[in-house]
């Protein structure tokens, strides 16, 4: 056993005094979060709670999303667009927004986590954004999607959901 873990275990045991009760319900009081990470390789973005998409991608930002469903949340899915090479995007639908016009060409990659569906205390909006000239989706906390006209045109598509902003 790693000596650090042995010390931590000993300290935790010392904190629990005679007559005290530790329950898993207390430890699970609030929903857990994981980082949703925005990456960029100079041309394309990639946003995931999973592993880095490749060695050429550098991290641009992190947003905490919930690991499981909770009241007032919905699942967020990572998808690959069928109409543009390497256009990974997030969707609130497991069918990756496949509609009759795109003939089901979008591909589900994974369920990333959960976001709140409405604003509330301690929540921030997460916008889905699109760069038309590079055909690349990403997410931003800014409603202008960090657009810097006239050199770049970025479209804010919609609010994907709201993430817990505690500690941000």
């Amino acid at each position: 056993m790693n000596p650090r873990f042995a010390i931590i275990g000993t300290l935790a045991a010392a904190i629990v005094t005679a007559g005290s009760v530790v329950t898993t319900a207390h430890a699970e009081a609030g929903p857990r979060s994981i980082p949703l990470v925005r990456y960029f390789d100079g041309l394309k973005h990639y946003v995931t709670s999973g592993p880095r998409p490749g060695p050429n991608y550098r991290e641009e930002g992190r947003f905490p999303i919930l690991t499981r469903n909770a009241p007032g949340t919905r699942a967020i899915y990572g998808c690959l667009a069928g109409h543009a090479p390497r256009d990974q995007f997030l969707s609130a639908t497991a069918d990756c927004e496949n509609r009759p016009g795109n003939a089901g060409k979008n591909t589900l990659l994974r369920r990333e986590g959960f976001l709140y569906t409405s604003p509330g205390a301690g929540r921030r909006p997460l916008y889905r954004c699109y760069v038309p000239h590079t055909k690349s989706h990403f997410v931003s906390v800014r409603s202008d999607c960090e657009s810097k006209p006239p050199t770049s045109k970025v479209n804010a598509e919609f609010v994907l959901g709201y993430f817990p902003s505690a500690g941000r």
Side-chain angles (χ1 to χ4, degrees), residues 15-85:
I15 292 170
V16 178
T17 59
S20 65
V21 177
V22 176
T23 65
T24 55
H26 178 68
E28 300 283 328
R32 287 188 34 226
S33 65
I34 54 173
L36 181 69
V37 184
R38 183 175 105 182
Y39 296 99
F40 186 60
D41 73 355
L43 181 65
K44 296 286 191 167
H45 292 89
Y46 200 100
V47 183
T48 184
S49 60
R52 179 185 300 265
N56 295 329
Y57 284 86
R58 65 175 163 58
E59 185 177 316
E60 286 193 321
R62 290 176 171 244
F63 316 94
I65 61 171
L66 304 177
T67 58
R68 64 178 182 258
N69 199 7
T73 66
R74 69 175 169 210
I76 301 301
Y77 301 92
C79 304
L80 195 58
H83 71 282

Side-chain angles (χ1 to χ4, degrees), residues 11-160:
L11 288 172
I15 292 170
V16 178
T17 59
S20 65
V21 177
V22 176
T23 65
T24 55
H26 178 68
E28 300 283 328
R32 287 188 34 226
S33 65
I34 54 173
L36 181 69
V37 184
R38 183 175 105 182
Y39 296 99
F40 186 60
D41 73 355
L43 181 65
K44 296 286 191 167
H45 292 89
Y46 200 100
V47 183
T48 184
S49 60
R52 179 185 300 265
N56 295 329
Y57 284 86
R58 65 175 163 58
E59 185 177 316
E60 286 193 321
R62 290 176 171 244
F63 316 94
I65 61 171
L66 304 177
T67 58
R68 64 178 182 258
N69 199 7
T73 66
R74 69 175 169 210
I76 301 301
Y77 301 92
C79 304
L80 195 58
H83 71 282
R86 296 192 311 125
D87 182 18
Q88 184 267 350
F89 65 97
L90 297 182
S91 176
T93 63
D95 71 354
C96 293
E97 302 169 28
N98 281 310
R99 298 199 174 54
N102 68 9
K105 294 179 182 175
N106 297 338
T107 306
L108 174 65
L109 299 173
R110 61 182 277 134
R111 185 177 72 197
E112 301 292 349
F114 297 84
L115 290 172
Y116 290 101
T117 58
S118 61
R123 297 178 190 167
R124 293 185 64 191
L126 190 62
Y127 297 88
R128 189 171 90 175
C129 309
Y130 183 66
V131 185
H133 70 278
T134 60
K135 296 181 179 156
S136 180
H137 283 90
F138 67 100
V139 294
S140 176
V141 295
R142 291 181 35 185
S143 62
D144 68 356
C145 289
E146 305 159 43
S147 185
K148 297 177 181 127
T151 57
S152 72
K153 173 69 174 130
V154 180
N155 299 327
E157 293 185 319
F158 54 85
V159 174
L160 189 60

